[in-house]
């Protein structure tokens, strides 16, 4: 049934549910599939009805309708057009006047900011240097993350000693970024863990601890330590291949997190080590890190706790002075730094922060890599970037700008079924991903999910090889920081300067 | 306006050749000139050069600087700098012969130098590093001055022209060395600047190179972290710095350095025995940014030896020959046969497999 909404609070729905009555057989699949209760069967009318105001456009019903009777279209209901007071601006204003609350959103910043990946083009060999066919010649994408030594050491017989600090070995230059159990479901976590193992890479627990069932994936797991310290204890730290200190996240730099009590089910409460049903609140800062020297202490505390056997990662959001921060982190003893761009996804963030705080990952990456080189410490730390890596070309460009590897989050969720409805904060993800409701979670089959992730990353890895071969490069380390392989298109002098690349045609 | 080498990256194809007497006996530059001349068609007259070792026995404890000057002013400035940092044992115009094939020559001077001890002490580095930094300073800060050779008891000789003409120009038949390398260049652009010709040398290390590496900017940005400044934007320069860094600063052998630059594939490493596996995995991981990909064949000259190396796919030709106490290496077999038709053996080394010849018992 439609709820009554006072006229001042009414905002037109974003979408319209269009049902082709010639095709609809009233099987009620859509009704059962939609956790937002958009569809119902009216027995008096003898047909399916929908309330589009509740529709988030997750495409679950569209994908499952057996007669393809449904489509969701953009609602063309309009206010008087204005380039300034646009529909969404007015809608948000109306909502806030009704509730008095901050606006909440999820997933990544959808606003129209420049996407620098799309303004960079990749080189290829012609004549002076042969391209290499990846089907005929070895083409290597293996990456080691971690600090490299300053000098070679030999034993008394002159044999080279392995003096490397702990490293992470990735068979593909892609890892799955932090998404906590709580924000996403058990089955989503399981899919990521299984896929990471199969691909020879890593997934990340996020800040919600590690479910006891997943300790078996430890060698392919990065365990996160965030400001809430949920689920952090000795076994947890020891279970992972590396430990990540989360300082910030691209979608919401400078603020903490909030997992509403209704998502804190028995399992989530046990994994996070908090009472069931209680809100899980991560403070904005780590309350033991108020400065860079405090970070250094936490880095070494974690290293001590794990006998210097695991690399320590520090993750920060891409903010204005990220280059200086990164240099501080490199000197703070971290082995790997992760920079998360402002388009990075989230399970829930204040809309204003998601859409207006932080900077593009491309610019942050370019300036961090250059800064670390200028200071002569790029070898002391590996650089991983995330925050909207959408395809293999983005990865090639990221590595050519200077990244060692990338993190993917949103792309991995899309592989699992996410249709980017950006309503994860509602907790009713129809695809069984961003939800703890048992009936929804079971919609995601972890075996199938893992296979889809493996497919995606394998396809990308093959594309990366193809692109590398075209450039005459047969090993990914020769692509790293190889900015001559990139040219800008439609960029200003300043942008080119920051990216450290030339313009196309130069 | 066409940009000069260093302002723009110019790809080139090339010919290279090298020879060494394993017993340390010396010979003049005639043979190496003959060898490189055979491969005339692999260069296009836009650059040629030679490196020779053991040629300055009377000054073997002095750094021999070969310098190009574009102007009097550049020479004055550079000489002021040299005076402030070195004791000058000898200085003179480089002996050359005027020939019609070589034109537009800059002023070319040669100095035999010893660094001032108190200056070296003050910078808290060893002599080699001190000299290296001085060369970097002159080349990057004094406009129109370019030190193109700076080792002890060795020298590079290069110019714009065909290599055989360059050799005659520098009167290489008058020098006696235990090892020689040569280079003929085929740039795809016409810089016309002498500094851009090969060999590229830094202290005792000289490199002649044929190829165009695809890892160039990754290597350049990496090596520049360690105090090197790639001013020419050529592969040869980057490779010479990598070799210098790995051998002189990291204490590697030339063989280790070859394994960094042309590391075996992971699939090959996986099939090695445990000890080798550990060594190669370590070296690939720790020095990943100095892996060189794309086609190259190089001859690295250093005190007492030569090393030939191909990229790991062997995308450029390279042949090695041996006869008694003499070893030869060149882009083409003909370049070896012309000077030694009867070889004891001749073979093409595998990609990534360094071939190293050292003078037996070393050189003084
Ligand atoms: S919310 Fe999803 S399942 Fe429900 S009507 Fe909209 S598109 Fe269909
Ligand atoms: S995870 Fe689920 S709720 Fe979140 S955007 Fe994707 S489909 Fe929507």
């Amino acid at each position: 049934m439609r709820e009554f909404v006072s006229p001042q609070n009414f905002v037109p729905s974003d979408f319209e549910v269009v049902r082709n009555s010639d095709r609809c057989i009233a099987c009620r699949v859509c009704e059962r599939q939609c956790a937002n209760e958009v569809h119902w069967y009216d027995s008096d009318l003898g047909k399916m009805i929908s309330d589009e105001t509740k529709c988030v456009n997750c495409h679950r019903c569209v994908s499952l309708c057996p007669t393809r009777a449904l489509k969701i279209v953009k609602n063309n209901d309009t206010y008087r057009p204005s380039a300034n007071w646009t529909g969404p601006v007015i809608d948000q204003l109306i909502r806030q006047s009704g509730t008095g609350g901050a606006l909440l959103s999820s997933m990544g910043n959808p606003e129209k900011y420049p996407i620098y990946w799309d303004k960079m083009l990749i080189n290829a060999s012609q004549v002076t240097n042969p391209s290499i066919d990846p089907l005929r010649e070895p083409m290597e994408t293996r990456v080691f993350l971690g600090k490299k030594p300053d000098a070679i050491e030999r034993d008394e017989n002159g044999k080279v000693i392995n003096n490397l600090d702990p490293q992470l070995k990735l068979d593909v230059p892609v890892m799955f970024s932090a998404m906590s159990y709580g924000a996403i479901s058990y089955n989503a976590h399981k899919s990521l863990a299984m896929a990471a193992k199969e691909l020879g890479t890593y997934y990340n627990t996020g800040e919600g601890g590690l479910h006891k069932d997943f300790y078996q994936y430890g060698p392919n797991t990065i365990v996160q330590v965030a400001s809430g310290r949920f689920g952090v204890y000795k076994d947890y730290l020891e279970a992972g291949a590396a430990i990540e200190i989360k300082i910030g996240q691209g979608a919401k730099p400078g603020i903490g997190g909030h997992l509403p009590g209704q998502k804190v089910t028995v399992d989530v409460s046990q994994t996070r080590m908090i009472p069931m049903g209680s809100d899980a609140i991560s403070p904005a800062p780590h309350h033991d890190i108020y400065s860079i020297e405090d970070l250094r202490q936490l880095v070494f505390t974690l290293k001590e706790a794990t006998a210097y056997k695991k690399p320590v990662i520090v993750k920060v959001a891409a903010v204005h002075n990220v280059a200086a921060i990164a240099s501080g982190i490199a000197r703070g003893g971290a082995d790997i730094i992760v920079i998360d761009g402002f388009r990075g996804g989230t399970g829930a963030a204040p809309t204003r922060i998601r859409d207006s705080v932080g900077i593009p990952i491309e610019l942050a990456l370019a300036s961090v890599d250059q800064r670390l080189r200028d200071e002569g410490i790029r070898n002391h730390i590996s650089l991983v970037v995330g925050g909207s890596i959408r395809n293999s070309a983005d990865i090639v460009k990221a590595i050519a700008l200077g990244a060692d590897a990338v993190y993917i989050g949103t792309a991995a969720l899309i592989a699992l079924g996410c249709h980017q409805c950006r309503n994860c904060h509602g907790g009713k993800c129809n695809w069984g991903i961003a939800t703890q409701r048992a009936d929804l979670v079971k919609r995601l089959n972890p075996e199938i999910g893992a296979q889809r992730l493996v497919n995606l990353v394998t396809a990308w890895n093959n594309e990366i090889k193809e692109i590398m071969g075209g450039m005459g490069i047969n090993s990914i380390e020769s692509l790293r920081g190889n900015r001559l392989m990139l040219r800008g298109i439609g960029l200003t002098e300043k942008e080119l300067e920051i990216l450290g690349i030339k313009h196309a045609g130069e | 306006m066409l940009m000069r080498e260093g302002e723009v990256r110019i790809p080139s194809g090339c010919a290279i050749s090298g020879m060494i007497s394993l017993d340390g006996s010396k010979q003049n530059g005639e043979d190496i000139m003959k060898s490189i001349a055979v491969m005339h068609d692999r260069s296009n007259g836009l650059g040629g050069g030679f490196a020779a070792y053991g040629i300055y026995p009377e000054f073997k404890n002095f750094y021999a600087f070969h310098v190009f000057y574009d102007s009097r002013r550049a020479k004055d400035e550079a000489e002021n700098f040299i005076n402030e940092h070195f004791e000058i044992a000898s200085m003179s115009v480089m002996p050359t012969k005027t020939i019609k094939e070589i034109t537009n020559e800059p002023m070319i001077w040669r100095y035999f130098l010893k660094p001032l001890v108190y200056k070296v002490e003050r910078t808290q580095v060893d002599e080699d590093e001190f000299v290296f930094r001085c060369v970097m300073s002159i080349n990057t800060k004094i406009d129109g001055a370019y030190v193109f050779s700076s080792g002890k008891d060795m020298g590079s000789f290069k110019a714009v022209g065909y290599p055989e003409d360059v050799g005659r120009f520098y009167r290489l038949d008058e020098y006696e060395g235990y090892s020689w390398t040569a280079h003929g260049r085929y740039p795809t652009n016409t810089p016309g600047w002498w500094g851009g010709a090969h060999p590229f040398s830094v202290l005792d290390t000289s490199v002649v190179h044929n190829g165009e590496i695809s890892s160039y900017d990754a290597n350049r940005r990496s090596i520049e972290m360690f105090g090197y400044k790639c001013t020419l934007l050529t592969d040869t320069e980057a490779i010479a710095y990598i070799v210098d860094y790995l051998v002189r600063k990291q204490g590697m052998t030339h063989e280790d350095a070859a394994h960094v630059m042309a590391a075996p594939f992971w699939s090959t490493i996986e099939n090695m025995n445990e000890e080798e596996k550990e060594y190669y995995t370590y070296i690939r991981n720790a020095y990943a940014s100095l892996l060189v990909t794309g086609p190259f064949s190089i001859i690295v000259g250093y005190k007492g030896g030569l090393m030939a190396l191909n990229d790991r796919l062997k995308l450029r030709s390279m042949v090695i020959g041996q006869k008694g106490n003499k070893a030869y290496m060149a882009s083409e077999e003909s370049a070896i046969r012309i000077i030694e038709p009867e070889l004891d053996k001749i073979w093409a080394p595998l990609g990534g497999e360094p071939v190293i010849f050292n003078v037996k018992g070393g050189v003084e």
Side-chain angles (χ1 to χ4, degrees), chain A residues 172-196:
Chain A
V172 289
V174 183
M175 303 188 287
F176 301 123
S177 55
M179 291 176 277
S180 71
Y181 175 46
I184 61 171
S185 65
Y186 177 97
N187 285 356
H189 249 215
K190 187 166 181 189
S191 308
L192 291 165
M194 289 168 66

PDB file of all heavy atoms in Angstrom, chain A residues 172-196:
ATOM      1  N   VAL A 172      48.442 -11.099  -9.737  1.00  0.00           N
ATOM      2  CA  VAL A 172      47.801 -10.097 -10.592  1.00  0.00           C
ATOM      3  C   VAL A 172      47.905  -8.770  -9.835  1.00  0.00           C
ATOM      4  O   VAL A 172      47.885  -8.772  -8.610  1.00  0.00           O
ATOM      5  CB  VAL A 172      46.306 -10.429 -10.837  1.00  0.00           C
ATOM      6  CG1 VAL A 172      46.176 -11.633 -11.751  1.00  0.00           C
ATOM      7  CG2 VAL A 172      45.576 -10.688  -9.530  1.00  0.00           C
ATOM      8  N   PRO A 173      48.005  -7.656 -10.525  1.00  0.00           N
ATOM      9  CA  PRO A 173      48.229  -6.399  -9.799  1.00  0.00           C
ATOM     10  C   PRO A 173      46.942  -5.804  -9.217  1.00  0.00           C
ATOM     11  O   PRO A 173      46.769  -4.600  -9.178  1.00  0.00           O
ATOM     12  CB  PRO A 173      48.827  -5.484 -10.880  1.00  0.00           C
ATOM     13  CG  PRO A 173      48.256  -5.995 -12.154  1.00  0.00           C
ATOM     14  CD  PRO A 173      48.046  -7.456 -11.987  1.00  0.00           C
ATOM     15  N   VAL A 174      46.040  -6.677  -8.796  1.00  0.00           N
ATOM     16  CA  VAL A 174      44.729  -6.238  -8.330  1.00  0.00           C
ATOM     17  C   VAL A 174      44.407  -6.923  -7.007  1.00  0.00           C
ATOM     18  O   VAL A 174      44.561  -8.142  -6.890  1.00  0.00           O
ATOM     19  CB  VAL A 174      43.635  -6.647  -9.350  1.00  0.00           C
ATOM     20  CG1 VAL A 174      42.275  -6.122  -8.918  1.00  0.00           C
ATOM     21  CG2 VAL A 174      43.970  -6.169 -10.748  1.00  0.00           C
ATOM     22  N   MET A 175      43.946  -6.158  -6.027  1.00  0.00           N
ATOM     23  CA  MET A 175      43.465  -6.748  -4.768  1.00  0.00           C
ATOM     24  C   MET A 175      42.041  -6.237  -4.521  1.00  0.00           C
ATOM     25  O   MET A 175      41.617  -5.252  -5.112  1.00  0.00           O
ATOM     26  CB  MET A 175      44.365  -6.324  -3.604  1.00  0.00           C
ATOM     27  CG  MET A 175      45.828  -6.689  -3.786  1.00  0.00           C
ATOM     28  SD  MET A 175      46.782  -6.380  -2.281  1.00  0.00           S
ATOM     29  CE  MET A 175      46.848  -4.594  -2.291  1.00  0.00           C
ATOM     30  N   PHE A 176      41.334  -6.933  -3.629  1.00  0.00           N
ATOM     31  CA  PHE A 176      39.982  -6.499  -3.281  1.00  0.00           C
ATOM     32  C   PHE A 176      40.062  -5.599  -2.056  1.00  0.00           C
ATOM     33  O   PHE A 176      40.631  -5.976  -1.035  1.00  0.00           O
ATOM     34  CB  PHE A 176      39.082  -7.700  -3.018  1.00  0.00           C
ATOM     35  CG  PHE A 176      38.973  -8.632  -4.200  1.00  0.00           C
ATOM     36  CD1 PHE A 176      39.301  -9.972  -4.083  1.00  0.00           C
ATOM     37  CD2 PHE A 176      38.556  -8.151  -5.441  1.00  0.00           C
ATOM     38  CE1 PHE A 176      39.212 -10.832  -5.182  1.00  0.00           C
ATOM     39  CE2 PHE A 176      38.470  -9.001  -6.542  1.00  0.00           C
ATOM     40  CZ  PHE A 176      38.794 -10.340  -6.414  1.00  0.00           C
ATOM     41  N   SER A 177      39.489  -4.422  -2.172  1.00  0.00           N
ATOM     42  CA  SER A 177      39.686  -3.453  -1.103  1.00  0.00           C
ATOM     43  C   SER A 177      38.770  -3.718   0.081  1.00  0.00           C
ATOM     44  O   SER A 177      37.853  -4.530   0.031  1.00  0.00           O
ATOM     45  CB  SER A 177      39.516  -2.037  -1.630  1.00  0.00           C
ATOM     46  OG  SER A 177      38.276  -1.904  -2.256  1.00  0.00           O
ATOM     47  N   ALA A 178      39.052  -2.974   1.147  1.00  0.00           N
ATOM     48  CA  ALA A 178      38.402  -3.205   2.439  1.00  0.00           C
ATOM     49  C   ALA A 178      36.895  -2.985   2.378  1.00  0.00           C
ATOM     50  O   ALA A 178      36.428  -1.918   2.003  1.00  0.00           O
ATOM     51  CB  ALA A 178      39.033  -2.277   3.470  1.00  0.00           C
ATOM     52  N   MET A 179      36.152  -4.044   2.735  1.00  0.00           N
ATOM     53  CA  MET A 179      34.708  -3.919   2.890  1.00  0.00           C
ATOM     54  C   MET A 179      34.363  -4.812   4.070  1.00  0.00           C
ATOM     55  O   MET A 179      34.656  -6.003   4.057  1.00  0.00           O
ATOM     56  CB  MET A 179      33.994  -4.380   1.613  1.00  0.00           C
ATOM     57  CG  MET A 179      34.233  -3.419   0.445  1.00  0.00           C
ATOM     58  SD  MET A 179      33.524  -3.950  -1.111  1.00  0.00           S
ATOM     59  CE  MET A 179      34.769  -5.079  -1.718  1.00  0.00           C
ATOM     60  N   SER A 180      33.801  -4.217   5.105  1.00  0.00           N
ATOM     61  CA  SER A 180      33.686  -4.962   6.360  1.00  0.00           C
ATOM     62  C   SER A 180      32.529  -5.942   6.339  1.00  0.00           C
ATOM     63  O   SER A 180      31.522  -5.735   5.651  1.00  0.00           O
ATOM     64  CB  SER A 180      33.515  -3.991   7.520  1.00  0.00           C
ATOM     65  OG  SER A 180      32.235  -3.405   7.447  1.00  0.00           O
ATOM     66  N   TYR A 181      32.720  -7.003   7.114  1.00  0.00           N
ATOM     67  CA  TYR A 181      31.598  -7.898   7.383  1.00  0.00           C
ATOM     68  C   TYR A 181      30.687  -7.122   8.318  1.00  0.00           C
ATOM     69  O   TYR A 181      31.091  -6.725   9.405  1.00  0.00           O
ATOM     70  CB  TYR A 181      32.112  -9.188   8.031  1.00  0.00           C
ATOM     71  CG  TYR A 181      30.994 -10.124   8.440  1.00  0.00           C
ATOM     72  CD1 TYR A 181      29.948 -10.378   7.558  1.00  0.00           C
ATOM     73  CD2 TYR A 181      30.980 -10.726   9.694  1.00  0.00           C
ATOM     74  CE1 TYR A 181      28.912 -11.217   7.923  1.00  0.00           C
ATOM     75  CE2 TYR A 181      29.949 -11.572  10.065  1.00  0.00           C
ATOM     76  CZ  TYR A 181      28.909 -11.806   9.179  1.00  0.00           C
ATOM     77  OH  TYR A 181      27.884 -12.627   9.541  1.00  0.00           O
ATOM     78  N   GLY A 182      29.479  -6.900   7.895  1.00  0.00           N
ATOM     79  CA  GLY A 182      28.589  -5.978   8.606  1.00  0.00           C
ATOM     80  C   GLY A 182      28.071  -5.020   7.553  1.00  0.00           C
ATOM     81  O   GLY A 182      26.875  -4.925   7.302  1.00  0.00           O
ATOM     82  N   ALA A 183      29.003  -4.366   6.893  1.00  0.00           N
ATOM     83  CA  ALA A 183      28.609  -3.513   5.767  1.00  0.00           C
ATOM     84  C   ALA A 183      28.175  -4.424   4.620  1.00  0.00           C
ATOM     85  O   ALA A 183      27.181  -4.176   3.956  1.00  0.00           O
ATOM     86  CB  ALA A 183      29.750  -2.629   5.335  1.00  0.00           C
ATOM     87  N   ILE A 184      28.959  -5.485   4.382  1.00  0.00           N
ATOM     88  CA  ILE A 184      28.537  -6.455   3.374  1.00  0.00           C
ATOM     89  C   ILE A 184      28.297  -7.811   4.042  1.00  0.00           C
ATOM     90  O   ILE A 184      28.651  -8.022   5.201  1.00  0.00           O
ATOM     91  CB  ILE A 184      29.536  -6.573   2.188  1.00  0.00           C
ATOM     92  CG1 ILE A 184      30.909  -7.038   2.652  1.00  0.00           C
ATOM     93  CG2 ILE A 184      29.641  -5.258   1.446  1.00  0.00           C
ATOM     94  CD1 ILE A 184      31.844  -7.383   1.499  1.00  0.00           C
ATOM     95  N   SER A 185      27.733  -8.698   3.288  1.00  0.00           N
ATOM     96  CA  SER A 185      27.232  -9.938   3.869  1.00  0.00           C
ATOM     97  C   SER A 185      28.307 -11.017   3.996  1.00  0.00           C
ATOM     98  O   SER A 185      29.385 -10.912   3.419  1.00  0.00           O
ATOM     99  CB  SER A 185      26.101 -10.476   2.991  1.00  0.00           C
ATOM    100  OG  SER A 185      26.610 -10.833   1.715  1.00  0.00           O
ATOM    101  N   TYR A 186      27.941 -12.049   4.728  1.00  0.00           N
ATOM    102  CA  TYR A 186      28.786 -13.223   4.882  1.00  0.00           C
ATOM    103  C   TYR A 186      29.119 -13.808   3.504  1.00  0.00           C
ATOM    104  O   TYR A 186      30.278 -14.096   3.201  1.00  0.00           O
ATOM    105  CB  TYR A 186      28.034 -14.250   5.737  1.00  0.00           C
ATOM    106  CG  TYR A 186      28.747 -15.571   5.948  1.00  0.00           C
ATOM    107  CD1 TYR A 186      29.485 -15.795   7.114  1.00  0.00           C
ATOM    108  CD2 TYR A 186      28.653 -16.594   5.007  1.00  0.00           C
ATOM    109  CE1 TYR A 186      30.131 -17.017   7.327  1.00  0.00           C
ATOM    110  CE2 TYR A 186      29.297 -17.809   5.201  1.00  0.00           C
ATOM    111  CZ  TYR A 186      30.029 -18.021   6.359  1.00  0.00           C
ATOM    112  OH  TYR A 186      30.667 -19.216   6.551  1.00  0.00           O
ATOM    113  N   ASN A 187      28.120 -13.946   2.681  1.00  0.00           N
ATOM    114  CA  ASN A 187      28.359 -14.559   1.369  1.00  0.00           C
ATOM    115  C   ASN A 187      29.224 -13.690   0.461  1.00  0.00           C
ATOM    116  O   ASN A 187      30.000 -14.201  -0.344  1.00  0.00           O
ATOM    117  CB  ASN A 187      27.029 -14.882   0.671  1.00  0.00           C
ATOM    118  CG  ASN A 187      26.366 -16.114   1.285  1.00  0.00           C
ATOM    119  OD1 ASN A 187      26.949 -16.746   2.172  1.00  0.00           O
ATOM    120  ND2 ASN A 187      25.161 -16.439   0.827  1.00  0.00           N
ATOM    121  N   ALA A 188      29.096 -12.378   0.621  1.00  0.00           N
ATOM    122  CA  ALA A 188      29.943 -11.484  -0.177  1.00  0.00           C
ATOM    123  C   ALA A 188      31.400 -11.655   0.265  1.00  0.00           C
ATOM    124  O   ALA A 188      32.317 -11.763  -0.548  1.00  0.00           O
ATOM    125  CB  ALA A 188      29.488 -10.038  -0.016  1.00  0.00           C
ATOM    126  N   HIS A 189      31.591 -11.697   1.588  1.00  0.00           N
ATOM    127  CA  HIS A 189      32.954 -11.896   2.106  1.00  0.00           C
ATOM    128  C   HIS A 189      33.535 -13.219   1.651  1.00  0.00           C
ATOM    129  O   HIS A 189      34.696 -13.301   1.264  1.00  0.00           O
ATOM    130  CB  HIS A 189      32.942 -11.835   3.640  1.00  0.00           C
ATOM    131  CG  HIS A 189      33.629 -10.610   4.151  1.00  0.00           C
ATOM    132  ND1 HIS A 189      34.358 -10.592   5.298  1.00  0.00           N
ATOM    133  CD2 HIS A 189      33.691  -9.368   3.632  1.00  0.00           C
ATOM    134  CE1 HIS A 189      34.845  -9.370   5.475  1.00  0.00           C
ATOM    135  NE2 HIS A 189      34.448  -8.620   4.487  1.00  0.00           N
ATOM    136  N   LYS A 190      32.700 -14.227   1.712  1.00  0.00           N
ATOM    137  CA  LYS A 190      33.191 -15.544   1.325  1.00  0.00           C
ATOM    138  C   LYS A 190      33.583 -15.561  -0.152  1.00  0.00           C
ATOM    139  O   LYS A 190      34.619 -16.130  -0.519  1.00  0.00           O
ATOM    140  CB  LYS A 190      32.106 -16.603   1.604  1.00  0.00           C
ATOM    141  CG  LYS A 190      32.603 -17.999   1.377  1.00  0.00           C
ATOM    142  CD  LYS A 190      31.675 -19.041   1.950  1.00  0.00           C
ATOM    143  CE  LYS A 190      32.274 -20.430   1.681  1.00  0.00           C
ATOM    144  NZ  LYS A 190      31.330 -21.498   2.020  1.00  0.00           N
ATOM    145  N   SER A 191      32.782 -14.913  -0.975  1.00  0.00           N
ATOM    146  CA  SER A 191      33.105 -14.855  -2.411  1.00  0.00           C
ATOM    147  C   SER A 191      34.465 -14.196  -2.621  1.00  0.00           C
ATOM    148  O   SER A 191      35.296 -14.671  -3.404  1.00  0.00           O
ATOM    149  CB  SER A 191      32.064 -14.038  -3.178  1.00  0.00           C
ATOM    150  OG  SER A 191      30.765 -14.481  -2.907  1.00  0.00           O
ATOM    151  N   LEU A 192      34.685 -13.075  -1.924  1.00  0.00           N
ATOM    152  CA  LEU A 192      35.945 -12.334  -2.085  1.00  0.00           C
ATOM    153  C   LEU A 192      37.128 -13.179  -1.624  1.00  0.00           C
ATOM    154  O   LEU A 192      38.172 -13.229  -2.280  1.00  0.00           O
ATOM    155  CB  LEU A 192      35.892 -11.028  -1.276  1.00  0.00           C
ATOM    156  CG  LEU A 192      34.915  -9.966  -1.810  1.00  0.00           C
ATOM    157  CD1 LEU A 192      34.662  -8.893  -0.751  1.00  0.00           C
ATOM    158  CD2 LEU A 192      35.452  -9.330  -3.092  1.00  0.00           C
ATOM    159  N   ALA A 193      36.935 -13.857  -0.482  1.00  0.00           N
ATOM    160  CA  ALA A 193      38.030 -14.659   0.074  1.00  0.00           C
ATOM    161  C   ALA A 193      38.392 -15.792  -0.883  1.00  0.00           C
ATOM    162  O   ALA A 193      39.562 -16.024  -1.183  1.00  0.00           O
ATOM    163  CB  ALA A 193      37.621 -15.215   1.433  1.00  0.00           C
ATOM    164  N   MET A 194      37.377 -16.477  -1.370  1.00  0.00           N
ATOM    165  CA  MET A 194      37.638 -17.603  -2.276  1.00  0.00           C
ATOM    166  C   MET A 194      38.306 -17.135  -3.562  1.00  0.00           C
ATOM    167  O   MET A 194      39.239 -17.774  -4.071  1.00  0.00           O
ATOM    168  CB  MET A 194      36.319 -18.319  -2.612  1.00  0.00           C
ATOM    169  CG  MET A 194      35.746 -19.107  -1.445  1.00  0.00           C
ATOM    170  SD  MET A 194      34.034 -19.644  -1.757  1.00  0.00           S
ATOM    171  CE  MET A 194      34.267 -20.778  -3.095  1.00  0.00           C
ATOM    172  N   ALA A 195      37.828 -16.008  -4.076  1.00  0.00           N
ATOM    173  CA  ALA A 195      38.397 -15.502  -5.333  1.00  0.00           C
ATOM    174  C   ALA A 195      39.844 -15.066  -5.132  1.00  0.00           C
ATOM    175  O   ALA A 195      40.704 -15.326  -5.987  1.00  0.00           O
ATOM    176  CB  ALA A 195      37.559 -14.332  -5.856  1.00  0.00           C
ATOM    177  N   ALA A 196      40.122 -14.424  -4.010  1.00  0.00           N
ATOM    178  CA  ALA A 196      41.495 -13.959  -3.751  1.00  0.00           C
ATOM    179  C   ALA A 196      42.437 -15.152  -3.731  1.00  0.00           C
ATOM    180  O   ALA A 196      43.540 -15.117  -4.288  1.00  0.00           O
ATOM    181  CB  ALA A 196      41.556 -13.201  -2.428  1.00  0.00           C
TER     182      ALA A 196
END
